[in-house]
Amino acid sequence: MTEPPGRRERKKAATRQKIADTALRLFLERGYDAVGIREVAAEADVAVTTLFSHFASKEALVFEQDEDFEQRLARAVTGRAPHEPLIPALRREVHALVRHCTADGAAPIWRMIDESPALRRYDESMRLRHAETLAAAIAADLELSRTATVGRTIARFVVDAYALAREAADPEAAVDEIFPMIEAAWEAGRSRVRA
Amino acid sequence: MTEPPGRRERKKAATRQKIADTALRLFLERGYDAVGIREVAAEADVAVTTLFSHFASKEALVFEQDEDFEQRLARAVTGRAPHEPLIPALRREVHALVRHCTADGAAPIWRMIDESPALRRYDESMRLRHAETLAAAIAADLELSRTATVGRTIARFVVDAYALAREAADPEAAVDEIFPMIEAAWEAGRSRVRA
DNA sequence: TTCGAAAAGCTAACGGTTAGTGCTACGGTC
DNA sequence: GACCGTAGCACTAACCGTTAGCTTTTCGAA
């Protein structure tokens, strides 16, 4: 992953990184909406089309690093210890995610996101994608006593917990307040066929 | 509300309606993404700027009618019978909303929405707004035994139930499957200060 | 009738995004 | 070491949603 797989790919990665760094710097300096794509491209010394060959949209420039976030919730399910219950594993992972987002360095970025409607909507869409990925992981893990709908529902609830906690005054405490509710929902989701 | 309050406002309403009707017809005929704003304006025989003085965005043309939706969930809380428990009241309202969305006439519109990323994202944003409105209504109704975080969480869960049900094969059954989970979460949300 | 203001219009532009078309430099192959 | 296919990048020119600036039309009220 860190080895040099050829000059070409190194250059490509360097270009991508330079674009992302330049963009984030300009955005933080002068505001997301006040900086145009043409300006980012000029400052990074690439063509606009090159920029869009590396990033699908202007918003994607901001969320560059969070690609693995998509998989972390799913891995918390599929990679947990055998016989470990589902919800506590998810709770641990959400705790970690929240801690990561509220770390010192991340604060200005999240403030910027909160201030821009476009970025907020992009973030919302991302979370829905995350919920779907998580739902798939849960479905693959489901015992017979629960339906697919229950799995999808829990996936949404977990992603909600993450979003709500991030907005809360005390994010970690919020996670601890919400997860018992999710646990209860999960218990109630046992099919009542013969319970 | 249905009386004629003057020619001016009648004409304005007529213009608005004509724009919305024309847009929806064109969108359904040839696809949302394949029809441009300039085309809708031309077909409705208005200027583009006029169109945007009636609707805030292209997406808003599609969701024209659902403005009162925003308030329905909140009213289900504030306007319920005295001493009626919260969750069953919300359950009834979500049932009604789902039934409304899966009615015969609405099917092609929702198919169109599902096919366009822009419309999906707009819908997601709308739902978040609805969750916040509902959260405010719940907060105003909260007994001392539950915190504001619990209220916000339940609001999200309820809106999730609506979204999940709409995507389910049997929407009404999905509501009935999800709401017991919400009920359990609500119970678990009692503060454990002295329970 | 006259006047103020809301509604509608026109033009022109801005900002994100995408074709279309090359050029150049790299990487695998002989 | 020369060769060729292709990936990466550049440039131009446009499309599309959206907005600003300003003029014209159309009501409602005085």
Side-chain angles (χ1 to χ4, degrees):
Chain A
M1 250 189 217
T2 331
E3 20 240 274
R7 190 172 327 180
R8 206 174 200 136
E9 322 205 0
R10 259 185 295 126
K11 284 202 176 184
K12 179 171 181 174
T15 301
R16 180 190 166 91
Q17 197 58 42
K18 183 173 185 183
I19 294 171
D21 291 347
T22 305
L24 200 54
R25 178 170 56 80
L26 290 181
F27 291 161
L28 288 175
E29 275 175 17
R30 320 216 315 268
Y32 178 79
D33 293 310
V35 179
I37 282 288
R38 290 163 178 86
E39 205 172 344
V40 174
E43 183 88 6
D45 200 31
V46 296
V48 172
T49 47
T50 300
L51 188 155
F52 277 109
S53 78
H54 284 278
F55 299 92
S57 66
K58 188 188 181 186
E59 293 94 37
L61 285 167
V62 173
F63 292 93
E64 187 237 346
Q65 345 199 3
D66 301 337
E67 284 159 17
D68 62 306
F69 261 55
E70 165 114 33
Q71 302 298 334
R72 286 188 56 170
L73 282 174
R75 269 200 295 268
V77 173
T78 59
R80 72 190 197 275
H83 303 103
E84 186 186 4
L86 180 70
I87 306 293
L90 285 169
R91 177 179 184 154
R92 247 190 304 115
E93 187 62 29
V94 170
H95 256 300
L97 291 176
V98 165
R99 220 172 296 130
H100 187 276
C101 281
T102 57
D104 296 345
I109 295 180
W110 283 104
R111 197 155 38 76
M112 176 178 80
I113 292 170
D114 284 338
E115 278 164 6
S116 160
L119 288 177
R120 293 180 70 119
R121 302 216 318 182
Y122 190 88
D123 187 43
E124 294 160 18
S125 279
M126 258 182 45
R127 276 203 307 271
L128 260 200
R129 276 214 334 271
H130 296 182
E132 280 158 24
T133 304
L134 175 57
I138 293 180
D141 191 88
L142 229 46
E143 327 91 74
L144 292 174
S145 58
R146 288 185 177 89
T147 68
T149 295
V150 171
R152 274 194 289 273
T153 303
I154 290 296
R156 286 255 193 171
F157 287 4
V158 168
V159 173
D160 282 340
Y162 167 64
L164 284 163
R166 244 192 27 226
E167 297 169 4
D170 183 344
E172 303 238 21
V175 172
D176 289 329
E177 197 173 354
I178 297 171
F179 257 86
M181 299 171 69
I182 295 179
E183 179 86 52
W186 177 243
E187 285 306 318
R190 290 194 133 77
S191 83
R192 274 136 297 147
V193 172
R194 47 162 153 172
Chain B
M1 247 189 215
T2 333
E3 20 242 272
R7 190 172 324 177
R8 203 172 213 148
E9 320 205 5
R10 259 183 294 127
K11 283 204 174 182
K12 180 172 180 175
T15 300
R16 180 190 166 92
Q17 196 59 42
K18 184 173 185 182
I19 294 171
D21 291 347
T22 305
L24 200 55
R25 179 171 56 80
L26 290 181
F27 290 161
L28 288 175
E29 277 174 17
R30 321 216 315 268
Y32 178 78
D33 292 309
V35 179
I37 282 287
R38 288 161 177 87
E39 204 173 345
V40 173
E43 183 89 3
D45 199 30
V46 296
V48 171
T49 46
T50 300
L51 187 155
F52 276 108
S53 77
H54 284 278
F55 299 92
S57 66
K58 186 187 182 187
E59 293 94 29
L61 286 166
V62 172
F63 293 91
E64 186 238 345
Q65 344 199 2
D66 300 336
E67 284 158 20
D68 62 306
F69 261 54
E70 165 115 34
Q71 302 300 335
R72 288 189 55 170
L73 282 174
R75 267 201 294 270
V77 173
T78 59
R80 70 189 198 275
H83 302 104
E84 186 185 2
L86 181 69
I87 306 295
L90 284 169
R91 177 177 184 156
R92 248 190 302 114
E93 188 62 29
V94 170
H95 256 301
L97 291 176
V98 166
R99 220 174 293 129
H100 187 276
C101 281
T102 56
D104 296 346
I109 295 180
W110 284 104
R111 197 156 36 76
M112 176 178 82
I113 293 170
D114 285 338
E115 279 164 5
S116 161
L119 288 177
R120 293 181 70 122
R121 302 216 317 182
Y122 189 88
D123 186 43
E124 294 160 18
S125 280
M126 259 182 43
R127 275 204 307 270
L128 261 201
R129 275 214 335 271
H130 296 183
E132 279 157 25
T133 304
L134 175 57
I138 292 179
D141 190 88
L142 229 46
E143 327 91 73
L144 292 174
S145 58
R146 288 184 177 91
T147 69
T149 295
V150 171
R152 275 194 289 273
T153 304
I154 289 295
R156 287 255 192 170
F157 286 4
V158 168
V159 173
D160 283 339
Y162 168 62
L164 284 163
R166 244 191 28 226
E167 296 169 4
D170 184 343
E172 303 238 23
V175 173
D176 289 330
E177 196 173 357
I178 297 170
F179 257 87
M181 299 171 70
I182 296 179
E183 180 85 53
W186 177 241
E187 284 307 318
R190 278 187 200 294
S191 83
R192 275 136 296 145
V193 172
R194 49 161 152 174

